[in-house]
Amino acid sequence: MISRRRFLALGGGSIALAACGGAGSNVSVPSRGLVTSWSTDRFALGSYSFLKVGSTPADRVALAAPVDGVLFFAGEATSSDFSATVHGALLSGRRAAAEVMDATDGSVVVVGAGAAGLAAAEVLAAEDYDVVVLEGRDRIGGRLHTDTDTFGVPVDLGASWVHGVEGNPVLDYDLDTRPFDYDDYELKGEETRDFLIASEVEQEYAADEDELSPEATEEGEELGGGDAFVVGGYQRLADALAADVDVELGVEVTGVAWSGGGVELTTSAGARRADAVIVSVPLGVLQAGRPAFTPGLPEAKVAAIRRLGMGVMSKAILRFDKVFWDDVATIGLAGQEPRTQWTEFVNLAPFTDQPLIMGFCVGRAARFMESLPGDEVLASAEKALRAAY
């Protein structure tokens, strides 16, 4: 059976809503809710990458490959060993920075202020490179996104876990973590094959079983030492990476013209020139053709971008008047309709000291959910909990 070690939740495009519902014998009425929608977020267009039918690990190598000593690429989708993880993104940024330093001592622009882009810039800034990070959003972090307003405590809409604590580079920074035991688990309903596939495979890759390449479950490596939940928010990592880095927010890069002599960037704030550029935008954005490259990228890289998959995982976080659910880490909900299935819920109460619970749906179910108004998504998650309790 495939392990739960990469149970990675990445969300964004959040909205805060007041949830409502009828009273039940065990279930109190939720007072607040928060949902995510990475698939509709134009700066992400998905949650994290996976090997889609027709793709192989070689596509990640092709995506990561530098071009003519001026174009460099970073991001979890470029990581052959640790794709779909925060440490994979961070290490990819460090790898891209090392490639830049082997090629030039000139100026560098990093496109994107997620974990990969910030990690690359941190390395280059420490070596006294002239480096700037351009970020289209009004915040740093990318798919790291901690909400502190909705519930009065930090809740991650993006990544929430450290996957493997032994030698994990994210723990070099100021993160508060607690061990997370995936075996501390309660199943509601009958454990059918469909549910096992949903919880053990589709939940891990944020994609449906029929979307996965045969090699998807075999790629990559795992760090040892068990997993940990990040308490207080992953935003601390983004802040630490950016501490000594020049970041310009609200500057979207729409075009990259490149030659052996350097790059010229078209941005929402005017043209920029540099000797090299590190592109760290998510795979979903590259698949949408942003930024546009002139001349076009090599065919091997274009094909890799096309073949790789961008998964979708949706979060619904609900606050109730009291904790009514089982005192376990994770609760599985079997027997739901696949199109709207909330596969599992994570008990956030031990990490937040609040009656909070976080549900997940993935793949086609998540894409469907993210097409709905936020209050309908919350109502769907609440309905699933009520059916279970």
Side-chain angles (χ1 to χ4, degrees):
M1 184 175 294
I2 296 171
S3 74
R4 287 183 150 81
R5 297 180 64 83
R6 278 177 44 205
F7 189 98
L8 177 66
L10 293 169
S14 63
I15 56 176
L17 299 167
C20 59
S25 58
N26 297 316
V27 183
S28 65
V29 176
S31 59
R32 293 288 287 169
L34 194 63
V35 298
T36 66
S37 187
W38 272 123
S39 68
T40 65
D41 183 329
R42 66 185 304 273
F43 292 109
L45 299 178
S47 299
Y48 48 89
S49 66
F50 67 95
L51 290 189
K52 191 172 61 176
V53 171
S55 65
T56 71
D59 288 319
R60 296 199 188 277
V61 176
L63 181 57
V67 180
D68 279 4
V70 295
L71 293 184
F72 302 85
F73 292 81
E76 55 83 14
T78 72
S79 174
S80 296
D81 292 329
F82 306 114
S83 61
T85 66
V86 177
H87 60 276
L90 189 152
L91 290 171
S92 78
R94 292 180 178 177
R95 182 259 307 152
E99 292 169 344
V100 167
M101 290 189 291
D102 285 341
T104 181
D105 58 2
S107 59
V108 184
V109 171
V110 178
V111 183
L118 292 176
E122 180 192 47
V123 171
L124 292 171
E127 296 296 327
D128 294 325
Y129 270 72
D130 176 10
V131 57
V132 62
V133 181
L134 303 183
E135 168 57 51
R137 301 179 188 274
D138 61 0
R139 61 173 180 83
I140 64 171
R143 287 170 286 170
L144 304 180
H145 189 188
T146 304
D147 177 89
T148 58
D149 298 328
T150 305
F151 305 108
V153 293
V155 174
D156 275 316
L157 308 180
S160 299
W161 279 266
V162 175
H163 295 289
V165 297
E166 291 182 356
N168 197 311
V170 305
L171 296 180
D172 295 340
Y173 300 87
D174 183 26
L175 289 181
D176 181 11
T177 63
R178 296 183 193 172
F180 192 89
D181 183 5
Y182 290 111
D183 292 328
D184 185 19
Y185 187 86
E186 177 70 23
L187 177 65
K188 300 295 183 180
E190 182 180 355
E191 189 176 62
T192 63
R193 179 190 181 280
D194 286 346
F195 177 75
L196 286 173
I197 292 296
S199 64
E200 296 287 349
V201 179
E202 296 175 343
Q203 181 114 327
E204 181 161 337
Y205 297 98
D208 292 273
E209 181 186 21
D210 61 5
E211 295 180 290
L212 296 173
S213 163
E215 297 185 69
T217 60
E218 303 298 326
E219 75 162 341
E221 302 291 337
E222 291 185 348
L223 299 177
D227 293 351
F229 191 87
V230 177
V231 180
Y234 243 126
Q235 188 64 36
R236 291 180 180 179
L237 174 61
D239 292 341
L241 288 169
D244 298 312
V245 171
D246 183 10
V247 181
E248 296 184 23
L249 299 177
V251 180
E252 181 177 359
V253 176
T254 57
V256 178
W258 58 279
S259 67
V263 294
E264 182 167 340
L265 309 181
T266 303
T267 85
S268 58
R272 298 290 185 97
R273 294 189 62 85
D275 294 299
V277 61
I278 298 175
V279 179
S280 70
V281 301
L283 172 66
V285 177
L286 291 174
Q287 290 175 332
R290 304 199 318 270
F293 292 90
T294 306
L297 295 173
E299 178 53 36
K301 194 176 293 288
V302 172
I305 292 170
R306 181 178 66 249
R307 284 193 293 255
L308 290 166
M310 190 65 170
V312 182
M313 174 178 278
S314 296
K315 284 185 178 184
I317 305 161
L318 295 167
R319 177 177 180 173
F320 289 84
D321 295 333
K322 62 181 180 180
V323 173
F324 59 81
W325 48 89
D326 294 88
D327 185 18
V328 293
T330 310
I331 301 155
L333 304 186
Q336 300 176 67
E337 290 294 326
R339 192 183 185 198
T340 58
Q341 179 164 279
W342 292 92
T343 312
E344 293 179 336
F345 280 77
V346 169
N347 180 13
L348 295 183
F351 306 114
T352 63
D353 295 322
Q354 300 275 354
L356 291 170
I357 192 167
M358 178 169 63
F360 300 94
C361 66
V362 299
R364 294 188 184 96
R367 286 189 281 269
F368 172 71
M369 282 293 166
E370 294 188 357
S371 71
L372 301 176
D375 56 350
E376 292 186 27
V377 178
L378 289 173
S380 173
E382 181 192 349
K383 180 180 177 181
L385 276 174
R386 289 186 181 281
Y389 286 93

